[in-house]
Amino acid sequence: MSENNEVEMELPIDTSAITSTEVLKRVNALLSLQDKQNELTEEMEKEILAIEKKYLQKFQPLAEKRFEIVSGKVEPSKEDQQCKAPIEVENLKSNPTDKGIPKFWLHVLQNTEVKDLLEECDIEALEYLVDIKIVQVGDNQDYSLDFHFSENPFFTNTVITKTVKLEEDGELNEIVSTPINWKDGKNFTVQSKKKTVKSKPTKGKAASTTTTTVQEVVPCFFSTFISPNEEPTSDDEADEIMYIQYQIIAKLKDVVIPEAVNFFLGRATDAEENDYDFGEGEDFDDEEGDEDDEDEDDEEEQTIKKPSGKGKAQPQQPQDCKQQ
């Protein structure tokens, strides 16, 4: 973040309800209680962080076993298949050529709100995504998401990392992304465009026209999130982009990755219950529509809340992109 945004501006104090010196003393007493509560909250957050680190280590063997099954490195035993609520699919046939669970993580992402960022060019590349790992960085609060890819026709990276660096108080400091090593002619996040430039006429010289080729960023999941390749034009824009990325990372880390199989099956959601999208032309007086929504909520098998990301910026809907 920029230095100008490191210190947040305090809101002006509203003292209109303090009607006497006696009331003022009582308000200051409440502020003292608030100070004590803030100290306890800070202590609680430190303990929660320690617990999260402890259980992240316990989750690791389960995450590794999931990777081995998804990638086809191992076949699950009968004991491995003894889940509490096994599912059944009718009329399935055997296919010995199927390795692991094909396109597992692509289906996971397509069943989350991330799908709004996915374009056709992303989908082709994400078919080679074989794992997303949560990795604790050092002894502090920093962590990373490691996106593991099998050999593919687009880039040479086997791992693309997004590291979240936090301040001591938990505030977001920066997000560092691994650059993508694109194979020749396979970078679908940029496209060449010809532009015509007209020069102004000068004394004794007529206006001329020249054509030049420029590289433009194609809005998609890889260019917006995985490894952003467009420089922000201002500190405010840089902070907004960072917070959008943080919201996606936090949701993947806290909601999607731990429940990956339920997202794969489409029976989990990462949308907040109060995450309303009031589009143009919606009729809020439509009682019948409200009843339908309530029925859908009742039928939902499982609801998973997303974490509250910092900042208020929301991802913008990207335009269609084409591989060049």
Side-chain angles (χ1 to χ4, degrees), residues 86-281:
I87 62 173
E88 295 183 3
V89 181
E90 295 181 354
N91 302 321
L92 276 183
K93 296 181 180 180
S94 174
N95 185 356
T97 62
D98 274 349
K99 182 182 178 182
I101 305 179
K103 305 178 186 179
F104 176 83
W105 285 101
L106 171 61
H107 284 291
V108 169
L109 295 177
Q110 287 177 319
N111 286 328
T112 72
E113 290 187 335
V114 167
K115 68 180 182 294
D116 294 333
L117 292 173
L118 299 181
E119 299 294 340
E120 283 299 323
C121 50
D122 293 312
I123 291 172
E124 291 183 47
L126 289 173
E127 290 179 357
Y128 297 91
L129 178 63
V130 294
D131 201 12
I132 308 177
K133 294 183 184 293
I134 306 169
V135 180
Q136 193 70 41
V137 179
D139 296 327
N140 50 23
Q141 304 177 74
D142 298 349
Y143 63 90
S144 69
L145 292 188
D146 290 354
F147 294 79
H148 291 251
F149 291 86
S150 60
E151 185 177 350
N152 63 83
F154 301 101
F155 42 80
T156 59
N157 306 65
T158 56
V159 181
I160 298 175
T161 298
K162 296 191 71 67
T163 302
V164 175
K165 297 187 177 182
L166 302 171
E167 303 285 0
E168 288 186 6
D169 59 3
E171 287 297 312
L172 180 60
N173 181 12
E174 66 174 333
I175 296 174
V176 181
S177 303
T178 302
I180 299 178
N181 300 318
W182 296 99
K183 294 182 179 179
D184 289 343
K186 294 297 184 178
N187 185 355
F188 54 77
T189 66
V190 294
Q191 61 182 357
S192 299
K193 249 187 175 180
K194 291 184 177 181
K195 283 193 173 182
T196 301
V197 180
K198 291 183 178 181
S199 64
K200 294 182 180 180
T202 58
K203 188 175 180 180
K205 188 177 181 181
S208 61
T209 301
T210 57
T211 302
T212 183
T213 301
V214 296
Q215 296 288 320
E216 291 189 352
V217 174
V218 177
C220 60
F221 183 60
F222 272 80
S223 66
T224 303
F225 174 72
I226 292 292
S227 187
N229 55 2
E230 188 172 23
E231 289 296 326
T233 58
S234 66
D235 288 343
D236 288 342
E237 183 181 352
D239 289 342
E240 181 180 1
I241 292 172
M242 182 172 64
Y243 279 124
I244 289 173
Q245 291 197 47
Y246 179 78
Q247 288 175 331
I248 298 173
I249 292 171
K251 184 178 294 188
L252 290 174
K253 170 180 173 283
D254 297 335
V255 180
V256 177
I257 296 174
E259 294 281 344
V261 67
N262 286 318
F263 280 95
F264 172 79
L265 293 171
R267 65 181 186 182
T269 176
D270 56 337
E272 286 184 345
E273 292 178 355
N274 62 345
D275 192 9
Y276 303 113
D277 183 12
F278 294 151
E280 293 182 3

